[in-house]
Amino acid sequence: MNINIQALAADLMQPAEEEARMLMRARRHLGPKQSDNFGLIEPSAIMELYNTLTGSLASGSIFVVFIFLVIGGIVIMNIMLASVTERTREIGVRKSLGATRRDVLMQFLVESAVMSTIGGVIGVIVAAVIAFAMERFTRSPWICLFAG
């Protein structure tokens, strides 16, 4: 069973906590030397838990993003390798028309840069939409902590 108590002002938090403790001890018939057989959770403890959880999530997300970047680089490398393999005739025609090795290399580098940029922009837009939706539909950060 939970009992929620709200102080009238922030500076009255400590007196409200002491009064709640006194009332709970009287209700449970606890003597002065007996320890509490109930628990009080202060807002600072909840905030500390929230900060710890979000800090851990932030640290873990950096690792996940790094892995995704490596995987994305490997995927783009494989796509460009397949593109070069499939377009060998085009490369041969361009070379026979006077294109240098540098021109062909620049073509594929520009293509891969454009693909990466478009993928990055799409990823940022999707992340912004998800962040907006989370902010819009979750009114409080505590919903994620106490759900379930």
Side-chain angles (χ1 to χ4, degrees):
M1 185 167 102
N2 293 327
I3 300 173
N4 296 325
I5 298 171
Q6 182 177 357
L8 296 176
D11 57 336
L12 297 175
M13 287 293 293
Q14 189 64 31
E17 180 184 345
E18 291 171 5
E19 187 175 347
R21 183 180 307 278
M22 180 190 66
L23 289 172
M24 286 297 294
R25 290 182 63 80
R27 174 77 175 132
R28 291 177 174 246
H29 307 290
L30 296 175
K33 302 278 186 188
Q34 291 178 307
S35 62
D36 293 342
N37 59 2
F38 56 90
L40 293 177
I41 300 175
E42 300 174 13
S44 61
I46 295 173
M47 201 62 202
E48 183 179 327
L49 173 67
Y50 176 74
N51 289 336
T52 302
L53 287 175
T54 54
S56 299
L57 289 174
S59 300
S61 65
I62 291 172
F63 178 72
V64 170
V65 167
F66 175 74
I67 296 297
F68 283 151
L69 281 174
V70 169
I71 290 171
I74 292 171
V75 167
I76 289 175
M77 180 185 69
N78 285 336
I79 290 172
M80 295 314 298
L81 179 64
S83 176
V84 169
T85 304
E86 291 176 3
R87 295 165 65 183
T88 52
R89 287 187 181 191
E90 177 188 335
I91 294 169
V93 170
R94 288 195 66 207
K95 284 190 139 215
S96 66
L97 292 173
T100 62
R101 180 182 175 112
R102 184 169 186 252
D103 293 335
V104 174
L105 178 65
M106 285 304 294
Q107 173 188 351
F108 286 101
L109 284 176
V110 168
E111 285 179 15
S112 65
V114 168
M115 266 193 340
S116 300
T117 303
I118 290 172
V121 168
I122 290 171
V124 167
I125 290 171
V126 168
V129 167
I130 290 172
F132 176 76
M134 290 297 289
E135 180 182 0
R136 176 92 172 134
F137 297 119
T138 59
R139 290 193 161 79
S140 169
W142 309 116
I143 290 174
C144 296
L145 290 177
F146 298 119

